[in-house]
Amino acid sequence: MGATNPEIQAARQDFYERIATGSCTPLWEVLGVIVPESPPALCKPYLWKWKTVWPWIQQAGELITAKQAERRVLVLENPGLPGKSRITQSLYAGLQLILPGEVAPTHRHSQSALRFVMHGSGAYTAVDGQKVKMNVGDFVITPQFMWHDHGNTSNEPMVWLDGLDLPIVEMFNAQYFEKYEADTQKVNRSERLNLAMFGNAMKPVEYTRKSKTSPLFWYPYERTLEALHVLRHAQDAHPSWGYKLQYVNPVTGGWPMPSIGTFMQLLPAGFKGKAYQATDSTVFSVVEGSGKCTVGGVTLEFNAKDVFVCPSWMPYSFEALTECVLFSYSDRPAQQALDLWREADSQI
Ligand code: GTQ
């Protein structure tokens, strides 16, 4: 808007104040903010070093039990979104600690959750009567509104990354939460059965789809890693992401979770990737290796067990010092469901 004479400005101000009494407000004062040309950079690139957070996780373990806390988790809060309990505008991330002998009691909620195991092995997640023992690198799904509890029957602490669509469900104001009558739920099936039913690109003939979430809820690391190693020897690396697989729902071929997409990629030692840009802010969890991610003018140097975030539409590129394996998740399925997702080269 060009220079406006003070009289008109005062009249407008007066007008804004009058319409505010009836909960109206002028669009022209906020249009550029609410309809920006491209995604505003509110979410910042950031890296959480395992070396820094591991002592804090252990200290949390001394201050509160898993049962007292319900879930003993350090939330990874994006420095650009303080106080909002989120790592990106649409997704939550937290590091959950379960000590030997502990139980995180059974509850259910409308938010979908993923677990990605970072440290330790042998703790379990029970989902809807099925128990999964989790090991480093395993990706486990807790579908929306399914009873789940976690416990550690091993003799070492276990830490995993929780990824939830909390901000999405909050945006829709569709949150529900319930506690189960007991700490642990009755378990009558094992993860071996889940893998047998859905983990071999096969499914029981009589199976009919009940929800949008994958009926396979355990994706063991050894299978994922083997696939990446075979690919690595069979073909050239993609110029931006090396060798990258996306997890799928074996029944539909689509994403395993309706709101969150998950990936695992391998960057060969010495890999120098071209920059990539897409509208899904992405959370990376480093399983193996050391490297660098350059994003939005910042270089994030990562090692195993570090977590970092690349915000929407900021070009990012990888450099691998050693062979790296990276797990990642984003809201790509939710954006695609609404026809919003864009890559830099896509034609719209
Ligand atoms: O394990 O159910 O990090 O409900 C945050 C909310 C974990 C869980 C979180 C949750 C959970």
Side-chain angles (χ1 to χ4, degrees), residues 181-248:
E181 68 234 16
D183 280 352
T184 51
Q185 62 181 298
K186 227 164 113 190
V187 170
N188 48 21
R189 286 163 292 164
S190 77
E191 74 268 14
R192 288 274 149 213
L193 177 63
N194 188 249
L195 215 51
M197 286 171 80
F198 301 107
N200 299 300
M202 301 176 94
K203 63 170 181 162
V205 172
E206 66 281 8
Y207 173 79
T208 51
R209 194 176 137 188
K210 295 185 194 77
S211 88
K212 291 198 170 65
T213 304
S214 171
L216 180 70
F217 65 89
W218 178 45
Y219 296 75
Y221 184 51
E222 50 176 47
R223 289 188 175 200
T224 314
L225 188 63
E226 192 206 335
L228 287 170
H229 280 157
V230 172
L231 280 177
R232 184 217 184 308
H233 289 110
Q235 58 191 52
D236 292 339
H238 181 278
S240 290
W241 53 72
Y243 301 89
K244 188 168 183 178
L245 293 169
Q246 70 187 60
Y247 292 88
V248 296

Side-chain angles (χ1 to χ4, degrees), residues 156-325:
E156 52 176 335
M158 191 153 170
V159 178
W160 61 78
L161 179 66
D162 284 325
L164 285 89
D165 57 4
L166 283 153
I168 296 177
V169 183
E170 182 189 308
M171 179 182 72
F172 289 118
N173 207 24
Q175 310 96 317
Y176 292 93
F177 172 88
E178 269 179 51
K179 273 180 89 72
Y180 193 64
E181 68 234 16
D183 280 352
T184 51
Q185 62 181 298
K186 227 164 113 190
V187 170
N188 48 21
R189 286 163 292 164
S190 77
E191 74 268 14
R192 288 274 149 213
L193 177 63
N194 188 249
L195 215 51
M197 286 171 80
F198 301 107
N200 299 300
M202 301 176 94
K203 63 170 181 162
V205 172
E206 66 281 8
Y207 173 79
T208 51
R209 194 176 137 188
K210 295 185 194 77
S211 88
K212 291 198 170 65
T213 304
S214 171
L216 180 70
F217 65 89
W218 178 45
Y219 296 75
Y221 184 51
E222 50 176 47
R223 289 188 175 200
T224 314
L225 188 63
E226 192 206 335
L228 287 170
H229 280 157
V230 172
L231 280 177
R232 184 217 184 308
H233 289 110
Q235 58 191 52
D236 292 339
H238 181 278
S240 290
W241 53 72
Y243 301 89
K244 188 168 183 178
L245 293 169
Q246 70 187 60
Y247 292 88
V248 296
N249 174 339
V251 175
T252 63
W255 301 102
M257 304 168 73
S259 52
I260 305 180
T262 46
F263 309 83
M264 190 78 92
Q265 76 197 89
L266 183 149
L267 309 173
F271 177 82
K272 271 197 168 111
K274 276 177 45 183
Y276 176 72
Q277 189 179 12
T279 50
D280 51 330
S281 302
T282 304
V283 180
F284 290 88
S285 178
V286 183
V287 194
E288 299 179 33
S290 302
K292 292 181 200 173
C293 177
T294 302
V295 49
V298 186
T299 298
L300 308 172
E301 294 188 16
F302 61 78
N303 294 296
K305 301 188 193 183
D306 292 349
V307 176
F308 60 94
V309 58
C310 292
S312 167
W313 211 241
M314 280 188 199
Y316 65 90
S317 59
F318 287 116
E319 226 180 285
L321 303 176
T322 63
E323 182 173 282
C324 296
V325 183

Side-chain angles (χ1 to χ4, degrees), residues 73-94:
V73 178
L74 298 191
V75 178
L76 304 183
E77 199 167 71
N78 191 286
L81 306 163
K84 292 194 179 324
S85 302
R86 62 196 63 181
I87 189 162
T88 71
Q89 263 149 285
S90 61
L91 295 174
Y92 161 100

Side-chain angles (χ1 to χ4, degrees), residues 71 73 92 94 96 107 109 115 148 150 162 164 166:
R71 296 293 184 264
V73 178
Y92 161 100
Q96 180 156 178
H107 68 204
H109 38 69
R115 324 282 166 197
H148 57 281
H150 318 293
D162 284 325
L164 285 89
L166 283 153

